[in-house]
Every structure is written in C-alpha cells, then in structure tokens.
Amino acid sequence: MGKRTQHSGNARIHVFGVLILLVTSLVIYKLFTLTFVQHEALALAAKNQQSAPSARLSGRGSIYAFDLSANQRKLVAVSEIKRVYPLGMFAAHVLGFVGYSGRNRVGQYGVEASYDNVLSGLKRTQTWTLKSMDSSRDGEDIVLTIDPNIQDYVAAKLNAVLKRWSSPHGTIIVQDPMTGAILAMASSPSFDPNNYQTYGLSDFPNPATQEIFEPGSSFKPITMSAAIDSGAVTPDTTYNDTGAVTIGAYTIRNYNEKANGIQTMRQVLERSLNTGTIFAERKTGDDTFLNYIVAFGIGQKAGIDLGGELSGNISNLYQGRAVNFATASFGQGIAVTPLQLINAYSAIANGGKLMRPYVVKEILHPDGSTTPTVQKILGAPITEKTATQMKSILTDVVDRGFDKARIKGYDIAGKTGTAQIPDLSRGKADARGGYLEDKQFIHNFVGFAPSYNPRFVVLIKMDRPQGITFAADSLSPVFGDIAQYLIRYFKIPPTRS
C-alpha cells in the first residue's frame, strides 16, 4: 500500500516536470518568433496603426505664444495622441485647429492652416496610408507674436463689455505699431480647438480679418490725414459748419444735427463733424482722396500671415459719384476689416509707415536654429510731419472728448466710431438710407499710447450693443482700462507732469 502511493507520487512529479518543460519551451519559442520571425510584420502593423486618423500626429511642430514680460515662450499647441491645446479657447481664431481633409490630417483656419507645411514638416499633408509615413523630417515649431498675458486680459475685457451691453459679437486687437506685430487678437464668440467638432462652420473664420464693417467716425482721421498731407488743409484751416451739406438730391447732417459755426480742422475731429470731413475731402479732391486711402491699405489685403483675409470694400469710390466720396469721408458706404483699420492707425502712430501685420514671431528648426519673421514696410501713406500733426489732433480728441479714456500722466490718442449697419435685405446702402433702423450700430474705438512715442495701438469693436447709443460712452472706459494695463505692463514712464 505504501509503495504504490510512493510510485504514484513520483509519477505525478514526472508529469508535472514534463508540463513545465513544455510550457517553458512554448514561451521560448514565442519569444523567438516575436523577436526575430514576426518582428518586421509587427513593426509594419504598428506603423500602419500610427497612420490611422486617431493616431499620433507624427512629428507635427508645437506652437508657442511669447510672454514679453518674462521673455519666454508658453506652449499653446502640442501633438500627443491628437493635437492638444492646453489653454483651451486661448486665441482660438489665431491658432485654428488640426482637422481632416478626406483621410488627410491638415491644419484648418489660423496658423495651423497658414503654417501647415512648416508645422507638418512636409510639403504635402500626412495621409492615412503607409506611404505618407516616410517623412524625411519632423515638423518645425512656431512662436507667435501673441503675448499670453495681454491676450488673456483683452479677451476678458471683451467678454465683459459684450455682456454689459448685450452685444452678440466683438473683437479686440492690440498691435505694435513700430513692427506690425499683433500682440493680441481676441473675438467673441469663440471656440475650443480641442473640441472643434462640436461647433458650426460659422464659428471658425477670424472676425478680425475675415469680416468687414463700415467704421463710421473712426475713419475720419484717415480723411484728415489725406487732406493735411496733400496740403489741402492745415489743422487750423477753418470752415463754416451749418450743420448740413447738400449734394444733389442728398442732404447729409452732423450726427447730432446741430450747426457749430466757424470750426478748425482740429475741431472737426474733436467734435466728430460729418460736415467737416466732407469739407476736407472736397478740398483734397476725389482722386487724391482715393489714392490716399488706398495707400493706407484700405480696400486691399494687409498681407497678414493668416489665411482667408478679406480686402474690404471701397467699390463705391470707383463709381465717380460725389455723394459716395462725401459719405466715405466719415466712414460710411465703405467697409474695412478690423485689421485694416488698426493697421492704418498704426501708420499714423509710427510716423507714416504702413507695416505688414504678422502673428508669427519666428520659426524654430529641429537643429536649434531659428528664422525670425522679417518686418516689412508696405508703404508710406503720409509724411512724418503729417503723422505728428495727426497725433496732436487725436490727443486733443481724447483730452477734450473722452474723459474715460484719459490716463493721468500720459498722452493718449484715439477716435471712436458709431456706424450704421447696412441693411442687405434692402440692397446697397447709400446716402438715402439702406441701413438698419431701431438704433442698431457698430461701436468701435481705435487709439494708441503714448501719443508721441507709441508702444501699442488698440482696436475695440462691438456689434449691436443694446441700451447705449454712442461708442464714446460704451468703449472709452474699456480702452482706458486696456491702455492703463498696457502702460503698466510695458513699464512706460509718464509723458506728462
């Protein structure tokens, strides 16, 4: 009995040992086949999996904003399993997103689109096939001119003022007038590029460059610049303001329908007199006036490094009708993009040079080298003397008209616009009407500081505010807050005692 039990136990041990040997052999065999036999097949499968739309964006370059206060970069877009925007809605219209074109991964809107070849590292987009994965190099990183601190501040200010006046849309741009660099570009409503699929197509175009509007009185400094620079008037030239101007069958009045008697050209802008800018335009002459506004970049693309930029609309001025030139002198009947308008003001601010605006500061190459964006002067619409005279006039405009935009100790220059909105359902607007009623306006404010050595230019635009009529009341306080912030941010010393 005992021997049989011992033999049985030995048998089980032998069987168990054989089983262990078999299992070990199988594991070794599997490791061998994985390592040597199936290596190429598995590598091919992994490569194929990486090329699927849900896979990592192989080697796509990162995007950085540039913090001027700390002189360092801040990551705003990076490729992980998918394209990630760690700051969410930050500068979404500038960034765009990476989406699909068929089975291709491509940048759409913003710098993701305009710098797609740079970011992808390919002259073709990545394709959902094995052939597209043989890229010869990784994508390059780009650094924006957008300062994250300024961008966040103006975006918050924009949302607050839109909420305050129940406005559906708005835009704020901050530009360095000396270089053309865009320091901030915020529009609302915006979108989250991490979840772009949840938004409609109308949410993606950049309102700063891809929407046009009639600026109204903020265009008057362009008219006055042309008149002074051409020698047609001086800041002290006078005219008799009767409150209205009749051109053929049309009668055009001041915004408050009042007459002011003898006025200088300086007072025309201080009091925003329509009759005064009509006088200045007539003295300049239609052809000369048109040449000047084209030289200021109006009616043509500014050439910013973002796709889809619109050129505005000054087609009215090619019809040869005197009334069209009259209304254009105070910014109605012509249309601009916000970018065009701020860029024109920057030309006044910097001494008469029209700069090409840009949003990419530099490209970072994989080898550690960089390619900075080359600043470009597009033209010189006015002389430095005229620019200095206009700075003086626009400083008086703020000093004598916009108390909420003033900053103690500093020269501040600016002008508001309260513009009617064309009623497209009634055809083209002109001096006879064709504009929306019920007090529907677009408010805008463009200004710079310090007046005689500007560090920044700011444009604020707000559509259809409710419960307030004039931009001087709605936007002057916002401009004042932004200018105060920027003066402190850039540590600008006082310019007045």
Side-chain angles (χ1 to χ4, degrees), residues 150-151 153-155 157-158 161 171-178 181-186 213 218 338-347 349 394 398 405 407 412-417 443-450 454-462 475-487 489-490 492:
I150 301 174
Q151 179 73 22
Y153 184 84
V154 302
K157 279 294 177 183
L158 177 62
V161 73
T171 294
I172 296 180
I173 307 174
V174 181
Q175 184 177 30
D176 181 340
M178 301 304 174
I182 302 298
L183 306 180
M185 183 177 277
F213 71 107
S218 59
L339 179 67
Q340 284 177 333
L341 189 58
I342 192 173
N343 211 41
Y345 269 72
S346 285
L394 290 172
V398 173
I407 300 174
I412 308 294
K415 185 73 182 76
T416 61
H443 290 190
N444 65 92
F445 191 118
V446 193
F448 50 87
R455 180 65 180 83
F456 58 84
V457 185
V458 178
L459 175 143
I460 311 167
K461 173 179 172 284
M462 177 170 63
L475 297 184
S476 292
V478 184
F479 174 83
D481 289 345
I482 294 173
Q484 181 77 265
Y485 170 83
L486 292 172
I487 284 171
Y489 189 73
F490 292 124
I492 300 172

Side-chain angles (χ1 to χ4, degrees), residues 333-368:
I334 58 173
V336 299
T337 65
L339 179 67
Q340 284 177 333
L341 189 58
I342 192 173
N343 211 41
Y345 269 72
S346 285
I348 296 173
N350 68 28
K353 301 181 295 293
L354 187 72
M355 304 300 294
R356 183 185 73 88
Y358 61 99
V359 295
V360 170
K361 178 179 182 289
E362 59 187 352
I363 297 172
L364 310 179
H365 305 293
D367 64 2

Side-chain angles (χ1 to χ4, degrees), residues 10 16 181 233 336 458:
N10 289 337
F16 185 71
V233 302
V336 299
V458 178

